[in-house]
């Protein structure tokens, strides 16, 4: 073996270490800057959601006569109600996870979220090394992405969910379906949208069973024909078990604020949704929205459930269409997530992280798509309601271009 063969992996390791250290330094510096900036400026660097998280943690850790968990077991557990904080619409686990904000340091959560960013980058490299190509450039695309850095250091918890989703993907690509099912249940508990990945997972398991693919770790116990049922039961069971546990302590407020609220949510302000202007004109708080006895058809079109149904059909069908084997999962999950976000009735910049997570793993890039993706957002932000459809058309074009490029690349690999 030549010295060159020995030194090459050492250089890769060194570059990975340098990238991780550099990205960690950037995040720590920005978190320190956020403390300095927030103390001196009316316009805060810290996201208002982080203040909501911190307040919810305080409510959870300081129970009292007017602040106690409302679930059936709430009176037996000495814990407060995080939903006493208005606009806290997350799992109570997030409030508990940020407990050190209360007794250690107020910026603990930011460091935690930034740490999840770093772990996600490491996991991306593991995925690239095992399933695609061992290269650090895509890893750098995530770790040095200013959108990713900014959102986590400002105090958004999206990086925690991103880590759960990547772990689920990591296990699924290796055929560790039991672990993937458990992680999918945890991810869906944290935020409901990862449930869309379950359809593609079940489809792959069924396809592998038909083609005599690799046996899962439990194949010796369960017949292959039951592997799909096993995955569905384990993932749904994990989701329901976590939900039942949270409900037993925090009661209906947990169910409503964490899940049900998002079904009828109508955000008429900060969003990139194609339904934005319609929601704005028909929002109860807008004077022009008053309509006397609207028709059944108009009532149906204005219902938040109508947009949800369209979004769900598109995201689920795109997963079934693009995913044929495990190797298609990254592309399939990207298409599902991007479709889900683009056609969501509420869409903010934080939601972009849900599908940006997969871009480094696709190894597909084109300047024209990057320019379009950034340009349509800039145009929307500059003109808002006048061109909200431009954002949808532009991002849909980018999505179609990436899908087309992936199809060409896949054909080259096959032939």
């Amino acid at each position: 073996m030549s010295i060159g063969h020995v030194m090459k992996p050492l250089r890769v390791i060194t570059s990975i270490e340098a990238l991780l250290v550099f990205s960690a330094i950037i995040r720590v510096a920005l978190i320190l800057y956020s403390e300095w900036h927030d103390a001196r400026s009316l316009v805060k660097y810290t996201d208002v959601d982080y203040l909501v998280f911190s307040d919810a943690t305080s409510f959870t850790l300081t129970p009292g006569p007017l602040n106690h968990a409302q679930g059936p077991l709430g009176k037996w557990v000495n814990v407060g109600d995080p939903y006493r904080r208005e606009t806290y619409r997350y799992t109570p686990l997030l409030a508990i996870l940020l407990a050190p904000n209360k007794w250690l340091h107020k910026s603990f959560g930011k460091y935690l979220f930034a740490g999840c960013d770093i772990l996600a980058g490491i996991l991306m490299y593991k995925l690239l090394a095992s399933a695609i190509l061992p290269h650090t450039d895509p890893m750098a695309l995530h770790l040095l992405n200013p959108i990713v850095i900014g959102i986590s250091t400002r105090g958004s918890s999206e990086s925690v969910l991103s880590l759960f989703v990547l772990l689920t993907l990591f296990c699924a690509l290796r055929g560790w379906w039991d672990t993937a099912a458990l992680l999918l249940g945890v991810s869906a508990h944290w935020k409901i949208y990862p449930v869309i990945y379950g359809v593609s997972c079940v489809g792959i398991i069924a396809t592998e069973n038909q083609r005599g693919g690799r046996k899962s770790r439990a194949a010796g116990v369960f017949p292959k024909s039951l592997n799909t049922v096993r995955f569905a039961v384990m993932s749904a069971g994990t989701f329901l078990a976590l939900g039942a546990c949270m409900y037993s302590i925090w009661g209906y407020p947990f169910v409503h604020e964490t899940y049900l609220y998002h079904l009828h949510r109508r955000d008429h302000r900060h969003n990139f949704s194609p339904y934005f202007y319609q929601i704005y004109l028909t929002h109860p708080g807008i004077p022009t929205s008053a309509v006397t006895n609207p028709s059944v058809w108009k009532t149906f079109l204005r219902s938040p459930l109508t947009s949800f149904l369209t979004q769900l059909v598109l995201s689920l069908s795109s997963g079934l269409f693009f995913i044929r084997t495990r190797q298609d999962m990254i592309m399939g999950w990207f298409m599902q997530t991007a479709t889900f976000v683009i056609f969501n009735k509420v869409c903010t910049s934080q939601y972009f992280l849900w599908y940006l997570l997969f871009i480094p793993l696709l190894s597909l890039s084109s300047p024209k798509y990057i320019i379009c993706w950034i340009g349509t957002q800039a145009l929307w932000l500059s003109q808002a309601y006048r061109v909200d459809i431009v954002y949808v058309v532009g991002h849909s074009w980018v999505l179609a271009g990436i899908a087309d490029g992936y199809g060409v690349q896949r054909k080259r690999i096959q032939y």
Side-chain angles (χ1 to χ4, degrees):
M1 181 179 292
S2 65
I3 296 178
H5 284 90
V6 176
M7 292 303 296
K8 186 175 181 179
L10 291 178
R11 286 196 295 268
V12 172
I13 292 173
T14 302
S15 62
I16 293 173
E17 291 177 344
L19 177 60
L20 292 174
V21 170
F22 182 63
S23 58
I25 290 174
I26 292 176
R27 285 165 171 78
V28 171
L30 283 174
I31 293 172
L32 292 174
Y33 167 76
S34 70
E35 296 178 8
W36 179 89
H37 176 91
D38 291 351
R40 291 166 174 79
S41 175
L42 292 176
V43 180
K44 307 301 182 184
Y45 179 89
T46 301
D47 195 318
V48 66
D49 284 347
Y50 188 73
L51 304 179
V52 173
F53 301 157
S54 299
D55 291 345
T57 298
S58 296
F59 278 116
T60 304
L61 299 180
T62 54
L66 300 178
N67 173 37
H68 56 84
Q70 300 182 35
L73 301 181
K75 61 182 179 180
W76 305 104
V77 181
N78 187 28
V79 67
D81 183 5
Y83 302 105
R84 292 277 296 176
R85 176 47 161 104
E86 293 182 3
T87 72
Y88 182 77
R89 298 186 175 101
Y90 309 87
T91 171
L93 295 180
L94 177 58
I96 295 172
L97 187 64
L98 299 186
N101 275 18
K102 181 76 174 175
W103 47 263
L104 184 61
H105 195 277
K106 63 180 182 179
S107 293
F108 168 83
K110 293 181 182 179
Y111 289 106
L112 175 65
F113 301 151
C116 288
D117 270 349
I118 304 296
L119 291 175
I122 296 173
L123 196 54
M124 281 183 182
Y125 182 79
K126 294 288 186 182
L127 282 166
L128 290 167
S130 61
I132 313 172
L133 293 172
H135 207 284
T136 57
D137 288 350
M139 180 181 174
L141 186 61
H142 170 77
L143 290 177
L144 302 182
N145 187 328
I147 298 178
V148 174
I149 295 173
I151 288 179
S152 63
T153 57
R154 292 186 66 215
S156 171
S157 64
E158 299 300 333
S159 60
V160 179
L161 179 60
S162 296
L163 186 59
F164 285 150
V165 170
L166 276 179
L167 284 169
T168 306
L169 178 62
F170 184 82
C171 293
L173 286 173
R174 280 166 168 71
W176 301 343
W177 293 113
D178 287 357
T179 307
L182 295 175
L183 287 169
L184 182 61
V186 173
S187 301
H189 170 79
W190 198 266
K191 274 193 177 177
I192 194 65
Y193 88 86
V195 74
I196 62 178
Y197 304 140
V199 173
S200 57
C201 290
V202 169
I204 292 174
I205 296 172
T207 302
E208 289 184 348
N209 290 344
Q210 293 173 357
R211 296 178 180 176
R214 275 183 213 167
K215 294 181 179 181
S216 67
R217 290 185 169 184
V221 180
F222 280 77
K224 284 184 177 182
S225 60
L226 295 181
N227 284 347
T228 53
V229 177
R230 179 185 177 88
F231 180 89
V233 169
M234 289 188 68
S235 56
T238 302
F239 172 77
L240 293 174
L242 285 170
C245 182
M246 299 299 108
Y247 177 82
S248 67
I249 299 175
W250 285 281
Y252 180 74
F254 154 71
V255 178
H256 179 267
E257 300 296 342
T258 307
Y259 303 118
L260 299 182
Y261 168 81
H262 299 282
L263 292 177
H264 60 79
R265 178 183 179 186
R266 302 179 70 190
D267 190 337
H268 68 292
R269 296 194 180 276
H270 54 284
N271 80 72
F272 292 89
S273 170
Y275 308 100
F276 160 72
Y277 198 42
Q278 174 195 352
I279 292 175
Y280 178 82
L281 292 177
T282 59
H283 194 274
I286 306 300
T288 58
S289 66
V291 178
T292 304
N293 298 323
S295 64
V296 176
W297 178 245
K298 287 184 178 180
T299 302
F300 173 75
L301 289 178
R302 292 174 180 176
S303 172
L305 293 178
T306 302
S307 59
F308 175 73
L309 180 62
T310 303
Q311 170 194 28
L312 193 63
V313 170
L314 288 172
S315 58
L316 293 179
S317 60
S318 61
L320 293 173
F321 179 80
F322 281 96
I323 299 177
R324 296 288 185 271
T325 65
R326 287 188 215 167
Q327 286 67 36
D328 298 323
M329 287 188 70
I330 295 173
M331 182 62 187
W333 284 22
F334 166 75
M335 294 298 295
Q336 284 187 280
T337 313
T339 304
F340 189 91
V341 171
I342 290 173
F343 293 97
N344 196 18
K345 64 179 180 295
V346 176
C347 181
T348 66
S349 296
Q350 293 178 0
Y351 292 11
F352 299 156
L353 291 185
W354 296 358
Y355 63 81
L356 285 178
L357 182 68
F358 303 105
I359 292 291
L361 299 173
L362 290 173
S363 299
L364 296 171
S365 62
S366 173
K368 62 181 180 181
Y369 297 140
I370 296 174
I371 292 172
C372 179
W373 189 80
I374 297 175
T376 51
Q377 290 180 65
L379 184 60
W380 191 98
L381 290 171
S382 66
Q383 299 296 319
Y385 69 90
R386 296 181 184 177
V387 292
D388 57 286
I389 194 64
V390 173
Y391 160 80
V392 180
V393 172
H395 283 218
S396 297
W397 177 70
V398 172
L399 195 62
I402 293 176
D404 184 61
Y406 179 79
V408 172
Q409 185 183 72
R410 199 169 185 273
K411 287 180 180 178
R412 287 174 181 172
I413 293 174
Q414 289 177 342
Y415 299 105

